């Protein structure tokens, strides 16, 4: 017990409010918390006891402790005089969060008490949680640096004439890329630690494959962390669409019932977009006007589109092709999500696409909306 008391005092020495937190907790006495905390002097087991306590803005009456991995609430904790505390058990290095929609911080479960300041969005405790706090501050700094500018451009776009809108669109696109690359650089600086496990799930879909590579090695300390299950699945699918890979030739039927192969169009000297969609997919339908616009604008330059449907109903497929004015080659094996093309090209959600150059090599993937038009503008120069 004496060891626990000395340890807790050392932890709280740099911030007396942490002791105040415990003193002000309704129904919890400091000696009781320390008695529980003495469990940390024992060897770690599958479940690790943890304590999180901290200061809140005056407007907060309660906070939630959240299992970020499972997206489940662990507890609703009352705030007393601006302070709260919670004790629980979780496996070592589980990523938890505490706060509400406006004030929220993440931390790792380990054998060191966690102290938070929700007003300042800060976390302290073990070395791992100190690094987690530092990474969070850096990511937030990047976001704040550019969000205002991007928002201002979007507001200007809403009232601008078409000429100005055409100037604004690439600038917004460029700034988004700058932000995404900056987030990736921040996370890569922590690749030798457990920290990326707490944040990758928020950023991986905006990162390039090259920037994700560093986080997918088996040697990474977080490589098997449960938080990365979705990241690993996404990465495995995206690798199949990695720029530089030669297209995979496949046989499917066209809307006339004839068997056709992708090699009839791909690798023939012109850029080709493989557009994955389905008649039942509302977001796909919304995307089609952009595809139509791209084809009208660049077809005379040799640009082509191949629609690959993940339908199972032949009639619904053909009806949608007609109704949406999809005046380009349409193919399908009518296997739905069991489509051979979806498996080969790593399509796990639609709409999705793959852009091939004149030699049939993948140069880009998942270009949505303005991103497709901007990429084609880069290729064709107008």
């Amino acid at each position: 017990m004496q060891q626990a008391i000395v340890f807790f005092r050392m932890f709280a020495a740099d911030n007396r409010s942490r002791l105040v937190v415990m003193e002000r907790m309704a129904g919890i006495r400091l000696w009781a918390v320390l008695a529980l905390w003495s469990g940390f002097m024992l060897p770690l087991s599958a479940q690790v006891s943890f304590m999180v306590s901290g200061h809140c803005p005056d407007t907060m009456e309660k906070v939630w402790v959240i299992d970020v991995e499972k997206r489940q609430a662990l507890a609703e904790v009352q705030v007393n005089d601006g302070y709260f505390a919670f004790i629980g058990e979780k496996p070592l290095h589980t990523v938890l969060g505490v706060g509400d929609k406006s004030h929220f911080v993440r931390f790792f479960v380990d054998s060191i008490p966690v102290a938070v300041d929700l007003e300042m969005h800060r976390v302290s405790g073990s070395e791992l949680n100190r690094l987690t706090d530092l990474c969070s501050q850096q990511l937030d700094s990047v976001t704040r640096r550019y969000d205002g500018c991007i928002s201002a451009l979007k507001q200007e776009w809403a009232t601008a004439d078409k000429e100005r809108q055409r100037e604004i669109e690439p600038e917004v696109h460029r700034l988004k890329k700058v932000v995404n690359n900056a987030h990736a650089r921040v996370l890569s600086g922590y690749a030798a630690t457990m920290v990326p496990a707490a944040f990758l799930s928020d950023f991986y879909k905006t990162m390039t494959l090259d920037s994700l590579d560093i986080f997918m090695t088996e040697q990474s300390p977080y490589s098997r962390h449960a938080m990365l299950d979705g990241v690993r699945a996404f990465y495995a699918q995206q690798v199949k669409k990695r720029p530089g890979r030669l297209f995979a030739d496949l046989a499917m039927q066209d809307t006339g019932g004839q068997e056709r192969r992708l090699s009839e169009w791909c690798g023939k000297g012109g850029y080709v977009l493989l557009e994955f969609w389905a008649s039942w997919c509302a977001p796909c339908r919304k995307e089609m006007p952009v595809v139509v616009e791209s084809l009208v604008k660049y077809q005379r330059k040799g640009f082509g589109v191949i629609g690959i449907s993940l339908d199972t109903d032949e009639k619904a497929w053909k009806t949608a092709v007609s109704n949406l004015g999809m005046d380009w080659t349409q193919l399908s094996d009518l296997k739905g999500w069991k489509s051979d093309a979806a498996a080969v090209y790593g399509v796990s959600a639609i709409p999705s696409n793959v852009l091939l150059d004149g030699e049939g090599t993948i140069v880009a993937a998942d270009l949505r909306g303005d991103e497709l038009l901007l990429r084609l503008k880069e290729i064709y120069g107008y």
Side-chain angles (χ1 to χ4, degrees):
M1 175 60 71
Q2 185 62 34
Q3 285 180 312
I5 294 172
V6 171
F7 176 80
F8 188 80
R9 284 177 176 168
M10 289 175 62
F11 174 72
D14 65 330
N15 189 342
R16 294 186 61 83
S17 65
R18 294 172 189 164
L19 283 173
V20 175
V21 168
M22 305 314 302
E23 292 170 353
R24 295 188 179 186
M25 279 296 296
I28 298 180
R29 295 289 181 267
L30 183 57
W31 64 266
V33 173
L34 291 174
L36 285 171
W37 213 253
S38 64
F40 285 113
M41 300 303 115
L42 301 175
L44 294 176
S45 60
Q47 293 286 315
V48 177
S49 296
F50 70 91
M51 180 175 71
V52 56
S53 59
H55 168 68
C56 307
D58 294 337
T59 55
M60 295 180 69
E61 296 181 353
K62 61 185 177 182
V63 298
W64 293 90
V65 180
I66 305 293
D67 186 324
V68 179
E69 296 173 21
K70 297 180 179 179
R71 298 183 180 181
Q72 294 177 348
L74 296 180
E76 179 182 332
V77 183
Q78 290 300 126
V79 173
N80 291 280
D81 296 330
Y83 295 89
F84 73 92
F86 178 77
I87 297 171
E89 285 190 347
K90 275 289 180 180
L92 182 66
H93 292 156
T94 298
V95 179
L96 301 183
V98 62
D100 63 11
K101 290 182 179 180
S102 301
H103 304 276
F104 190 80
V105 296
R106 298 182 183 189
F107 62 92
F108 285 91
V109 169
D110 56 23
S111 57
I112 308 296
V114 178
V116 304
D117 184 333
L118 287 176
E119 196 159 22
M120 300 300 294
H121 290 200
R122 301 302 301 267
V123 177
S124 61
S126 64
E127 176 63 10
L128 173 57
N129 279 319
R130 185 190 71 79
L131 291 174
T132 302
D133 174 73
L134 183 59
C135 181
S136 177
Q137 298 300 312
Q138 292 171 336
L139 291 170
D140 287 347
S141 176
V142 169
T143 302
R144 288 194 301 270
R145 192 182 312 156
Y146 293 99
D147 265 6
C149 185
I150 292 174
S151 296
L153 285 171
K154 286 183 175 179
Q155 289 176 4
E156 182 185 353
W157 185 93
T159 57
D161 57 34
K162 289 186 177 181
E163 183 176 351
R164 177 56 182 154
Q165 286 179 341
R166 285 193 293 268
E167 294 173 349
I168 291 172
E169 286 168 2
E171 180 62 13
V172 170
H173 184 69
R174 184 190 69 81
L175 286 175
K176 285 182 177 180
K177 278 190 172 181
V178 169
V179 174
N180 295 339
N181 291 337
H183 284 149
R185 285 195 300 273
V186 169
L187 288 171
S188 66
Y190 297 86
T193 74
M194 185 69 69
V195 171
F199 300 105
L200 265 177
S201 293
D202 290 344
F203 298 102
Y204 70 96
K205 289 187 177 180
T206 63
M207 294 169 65
T208 65
L209 269 175
D210 289 342
S211 62
L212 274 175
D213 281 344
I214 190 174
F215 303 106
M216 294 292 104
T217 64
E218 291 297 325
Q219 292 72 33
S220 302
Y222 46 80
S223 62
R224 304 314 303 168
H225 197 288
M227 280 287 285
L228 298 191
D229 287 348
V231 182
R232 284 190 292 270
F234 175 82
Y235 180 79
Q237 294 295 323
Q238 292 300 306
V239 163
K240 296 178 181 179
K241 295 183 280 192
R242 183 189 287 274
R245 291 169 65 97
L246 189 65
F247 84 99
D249 194 15
L250 294 168
M252 288 169 277
Q253 73 174 50
D254 62 19
T255 51
Q258 298 297 308
E259 182 175 293
R260 311 295 294 270
R261 300 195 70 88
L262 289 179
S263 53
E264 295 179 44
W265 300 275
C266 304
K268 299 295 185 180
Y271 280 82
V272 176
L273 184 75
L274 304 182
E275 182 72 21
F276 291 83
W277 71 289
S279 64
W280 44 260
C281 171
C284 299
R285 289 173 174 265
K286 291 181 179 179
E287 194 71 21
M288 289 310 158
V290 177
V291 180
V292 171
E293 182 181 349
S294 69
L295 189 61
V296 169
K297 190 171 184 177
Y298 299 110
Q299 190 171 25
R300 65 186 181 86
K301 289 288 189 178
F303 175 66
V305 179
I306 307 294
I308 301 178
S309 169
L310 302 190
D311 277 287
T312 55
D313 185 324
E314 184 174 2
K315 183 178 179 180
W317 168 42
K318 293 180 180 179
T319 299
V321 169
S322 175
N323 291 344
L324 293 172
M326 299 165 67
D327 189 21
W328 55 85
T329 301
Q330 297 291 333
L331 304 176
S332 180
D333 55 16
L334 296 174
K335 295 180 181 179
W337 286 111
K338 295 182 180 179
S339 163
D340 294 337
V344 168
Y345 284 99
V347 175
S348 58
I350 51 176
S352 179
N353 57 40
V354 174
L355 182 63
L356 309 174
D357 67 11
E359 311 227 329
T361 300
I362 296 173
V363 294
D366 293 325
L367 298 169
R368 301 265 54 91
D370 292 340
E371 289 185 348
L372 173 60
L373 296 173
L374 287 168
R375 186 58 184 267
L376 294 176
K377 184 178 180 181
E378 290 174 3
I379 292 170
Y380 294 111
Y382 68 95

